[in-house]
Structures are given as C-alpha cells and as structure tokens.
Amino acid sequence: MEMRQRSAPAVHSARSVRPLRRPPTGDALPPLSLVDLLTRRGDSLSPKHKTIAQFVADNPQFASMASTRQLAERAGVDAATVTRFAKAVGFSGFNHLRQELRHTYLGLLEPQELMARQRLAPGNVYRAAVLNDLQNLQHLLETLDTATLDRVAAALLAARRTLVVASGSYAAPATVLSQLCTALDVHADVETRGRVYWTSQVAQLTPRDLVVGISFWQCDRDTVTAVKWASEHGLRTVAITDSSVSPLAQHAQLRVIVPTEGMLFFQSVTASLSVIYGLVAAMWARIPASRRSTYARIRQAFRDLEVFMA
C-alpha cells in the first residue's frame, strides 16, 4: 500500500541517549501509541536500546517500513541489537514489533489520505488486493503465536458456551467461527447487533463460559466494552485483533494478533479467517469421537433437507 507522502522526519543522532519523549507536535506526525509502551519500559532498557526506542519515537514512518538492517543503520547500532531490543520491549522479534509499528502508523492516517495516495490503475486493483493479502499472510506466518492459539482452541473446547462479539465487516470472521464451531459440538453464538443485544446475553454467562471479541484498527467501542465487562466479571476472554496494545487486546486474557492492512478505507480480514480455520482444525484434532458424531448428524440433516443443489 502506498503511504501518504510526507517530508522525511528529521533523523536525530543515534549516538546520544536522551530521555524518551513523544514526537514533536505541530506539523509532525501525531504520537505513536507504542511510544507509551516504550516509555514505560525506558528505565529498564540498556543505553543502546534507549537509542533505538528514541529513534522509533522520532521516526515512526520510517520505523514502520524499515528492515532490521535499515533500522540498525539509521539508529547507529547493529542488526542483532535491534532484534534484542524488540524482545526487550516484549515482542517475539523485530518482525512482530514492525507489524505493530506499521499498524500504529497506518492508524494515524485518515482513510481519505490513503485513498488519495494509492492511485491504483483500474486494471491493477484486483492484483493489488491479492498481493496485499499475500503480504498479510506472510507477516502472519512470521509472527504466528502457536502457543496462544493452542490455549484459545482449548478454551473454546472447554467452554460451556461461547459468545463471539463483533460488528461491521469484522462480523465475517466472527460468523465463520460460530458456524464452524457448531459442527464440532461447540456452542458458540455470534452477536453483531450492538450493546443492547449482547448485554442480555453476556449477563447470563458464568465463569465456565467464554467471550471472544473480534475488532481491528481503532476497535469498535461495543466490542471492547463487552470483553472488558466480561473480564471484570470473572469470565474468560479472548481478543482477535491487530495490535497487542489495542484497546481490545488490553482487556482480554488471551490475545491473537493478526495483520489487517487493507485497501482503501477498510481493514482486511483474510488473515483473521486463516487463524480461525486453524483454530477449528486444532479443535477437530482434539475432540473425542463422540463429539465428532455431531458433524455426521449435521451432514445427514443437510442431505435430508436438500440444503445443497447436488
């Protein structure tokens, strides 16, 4: 995706270590949300790591697109130090950190800015959309947290009932998760109509149940509120979102982070769907034969009712 062109941010000397600060106000980019995270951990960082953190804070656009080598060169350190820095601030590696940086930077741009700068030729938009999702899937492979996904699969299987909350286009992965869970004898309802509807449902849940919130970019307020309320009332919670520092991730006990960079004014849900397909496959591999019989009964009902044309 072509980014909005701005004058290049000033690159500060990487050799001097200063207290972490937000980027300057005025015509410069707004503050990077990850700066809050870096600031909180600033006192525990080594001098070189503080240098990288300050560089990232001062140059969010460059940091969101740079390779490990490029960031190391501009910050005046070696590539290994950049990798160790990413782990020191809580990420699995630089690819994971860069995904967060890019998500945050894109979130600073207005949709109109993105649309105005893409300038896609009509004959290339389809190819561009496919390539965009291929890149998202590649980033997902590089940052996939299988341990967390295993815990989510186990939580879905163990729950007496699961409520999946989402809205808008983010209802697509929520609906798929709910529908496929049915075939596994896993009770999962989906609620996409807003607070009035999910409130009555979540109020009936117990600590034996699970609430899954799915939302991306700036996060839907109702989805965040549902997960927050559930966590505060002793329910198990899962967030499927695109940033570990997003409002939704902050309130969930288990967080699945997926890349969602999209075209024009919307986020892509392709990577989230791939994760859900993986979760369903993991659950299928774990359930006993007695629960698999539910799928056989459903298939027979489909045949009896002639749901499909052939």
Side-chain angles (χ1 to χ4, degrees), residues 66 68 86 91-100 139 142-143:
T68 307
F91 298 96
S92 60
F94 180 68
N95 286 335
H96 187 189
L97 172 60
R98 182 175 55 194
Q99 179 179 314
E100 296 275 358
H139 290 162
E142 293 170 354
T143 59

Side-chain angles (χ1 to χ4, degrees), residues 178-285:
S178 174
Q179 177 68 22
L180 294 180
C181 278
T182 301
L184 306 181
D185 193 26
V186 173
H187 185 176
D189 296 319
V190 60
E191 186 51 74
T192 64
R193 295 172 295 177
R195 187 172 308 198
V196 171
Y197 294 92
W198 63 249
T199 297
S200 59
Q201 295 192 55
V202 77
Q204 300 177 56
L205 301 180
T206 73
R208 296 171 55 198
D209 301 318
L210 179 69
V211 174
V212 178
I214 302 179
S215 193
F216 309 118
W217 194 44
Q218 295 178 342
C219 291
D220 171 67
R221 185 180 301 276
D222 274 0
T223 304
V224 174
T225 302
V227 171
K228 181 176 183 291
W229 191 94
S231 293
E232 291 173 345
H233 288 77
L235 305 179
R236 291 175 293 176
T237 55
V238 173
I240 300 178
T241 185
D242 48 4
S243 171
S244 60
V245 295
S246 74
L248 183 59
Q250 292 173 18
H251 295 297
Q253 296 153 3
L254 292 174
R255 298 173 290 275
V256 177
I257 309 302
V258 297
T260 61
E261 187 170 335
M263 303 278 291
L264 301 178
F265 54 86
F266 51 85
Q267 306 304 109
S268 169
V269 299
T270 300
S272 64
L273 284 168
S274 291
V275 162
I276 285 168
Y277 297 146
L279 285 171
V280 172
M283 287 190 285
W284 179 263

